[in-house]
Amino acid sequence: MPRLVGDPAAFLDLLRAEAEGAPVALGVDLPIGVPRTYAALRPEPGFLGFLDTIRAWPDFFRVCETLTDIRHDRPFYPARGIKGMTRASHAAALGLGGASGLCRACDRATLERPAGAPLFWTLGANQSGKAAIAAWRDMLLPAFAPGGAVRLWPFEGPFRALLAHGTVAVAETYPAEALRHLGIKLRGSKRRQSDRALASEALLAAMIRLHVVPEPALIDALVDGLGRDPAGEDRFDCLLGVLCVINVVEGHRPDDTPDDPWLTTWEGWVLGQTALPVVRAVDDAVGKEFGRTEGVVARVCD
């Protein structure tokens, strides 16, 4: 059954202790990596070096109140809603060009799913910035050291290769991707208990295919839609993340990234994703890397 992790700073050590020396495969529903437009302005060789750098930046995780507060060592914005604010103005304040400069390749829409939220944006329901702040500050930085027991995918190699004795391999997952990887089409909204309950049969069938044996309490919770409280959606996403990781570990989805060095040095990728981003004709930053999809136009991160 999904449960609260407790103290984030102790969470990864807790997983290692519970594994008793076996490798731990952990999927997290939050960004791991930074946009290539931002990375191009940094002197570090990659994201792992960047994590060491931000340890010394006291304001990095302090969300900006206004555009004038934004700096490269303080990129998260906005702290609250202000009339007229846009992602385009946020990107411009960071020197990233247009609004699409805030996005990593894996944040962009594909032919299979809509766009995800950009890393540094922290306002509204469709944002992932606050999750990144909490996880990077309270979980990753206390535990991560180059060559240590915590390994970050894809920056340190293919995911299955990171599953060594005594290690925790951490990869970014995305519930919308996981549903597609499992061949499940959600009817309605995952925010509604009744719609989550409708997905229970398909989720249980996916577990059978993956040789996963759910506890009776989990079966009951699935049939019930994982509870009527607001955290039911979080429990649903948690389960999808676990099944996404198992799907990759079992070899049913790739454990590497598309052939683009930006992904393995700076931006990261979504575990198991194969669909490439759809880009507009003017979006050269990613269009040059992945090619353009003729006849398809996506509104990305505006």
Side-chain angles (χ1 to χ4, degrees):
M1 279 288 293
R3 56 188 171 96
L4 297 176
V5 302
D7 179 9
F11 177 54
L12 298 182
D13 284 339
L14 175 64
L15 291 178
R16 292 179 63 222
E18 290 188 354
E20 298 180 339
V24 176
L26 175 64
V28 293
D29 180 16
L30 54 95
I32 302 180
V34 298
R36 66 189 67 194
T37 48
Y38 180 86
L41 303 174
R42 297 298 315 153
E44 298 86 5
F47 180 68
L48 299 184
F50 178 72
L51 283 179
D52 277 339
T53 295
I54 64 177
R55 294 179 194 274
W57 287 354
D59 291 334
F60 182 77
F61 295 116
R62 189 155 64 97
V63 180
C64 294
E65 295 276 351
T66 68
L67 289 171
T68 56
D69 294 330
I70 295 173
R71 310 186 305 257
H72 269 250
D73 63 347
R74 193 182 172 193
F76 290 95
Y77 171 83
R80 57 189 176 85
I82 301 174
K83 185 178 179 180
M85 67 170 50
T86 65
R87 290 179 179 177
S89 60
H90 181 196
L94 278 170
L96 307 184
S100 62
L102 290 171
C103 295
R104 302 170 301 150
C106 62
D107 299 326
R108 300 168 185 268
T110 73
L111 292 176
E112 299 178 355
R113 61 157 174 82
L119 163 66
F120 295 132
W121 186 261
T122 58
L123 184 68
N126 183 29
Q127 59 87 15
S128 57
K130 290 180 180 177
I133 289 171
W136 293 15
R137 181 191 60 205
D138 301 332
M139 184 179 75
L140 287 185
L141 287 185
F144 176 76
V150 177
R151 312 295 298 276
L152 295 186
W153 178 85
F155 310 106
E156 298 184 80
F159 189 66
R160 290 189 288 272
L162 301 182
L163 296 174
H165 180 83
T167 65
V168 180
V170 184
E172 179 176 345
T173 60
Y174 185 21
E177 273 290 327
L179 281 168
R180 286 159 177 79
H181 299 173
L182 297 169
I184 298 172
K185 185 173 179 59
L186 183 66
R187 289 173 286 174
S189 169
K190 66 177 182 173
R191 294 179 179 162
R192 286 194 291 269
Q193 180 187 12
S194 58
D195 293 340
R196 295 193 299 267
L198 288 174
S200 62
E201 184 176 345
L203 283 167
L204 290 169
M207 292 183 195
I208 291 172
R209 293 195 302 271
L210 293 172
H211 309 291
V212 172
V213 181
E215 297 176 347
L218 177 57
I219 296 174
D220 293 342
L222 274 173
V223 172
D224 186 52
L226 293 161
R228 67 178 61 186
D229 60 307
E233 179 185 357
D234 296 327
R235 290 188 281 269
F236 185 75
D237 286 349
C238 177
L239 179 60
L240 288 174
V242 169
L243 294 178
C244 169
V245 172
I246 294 172
N247 207 20
V248 170
V249 171
E250 289 292 308
H252 302 303
R253 302 289 298 187
D255 71 338
D256 53 8
T257 72
D259 185 16
D260 174 7
W262 280 107
L263 306 182
T264 52
T265 54
W266 278 103
E267 286 201 329
W269 190 247
V270 172
L271 188 66
Q273 179 176 333
T274 55
L276 299 181
V278 175
V279 295
R280 296 171 297 184
V282 297
D283 198 351
D284 288 334
V286 172
K288 288 178 181 177
E289 303 293 342
F290 292 104
R292 298 184 173 85
T293 303
E294 296 298 329
V296 178
V297 178
R299 186 171 181 228
V300 180
C301 293
D302 290 312

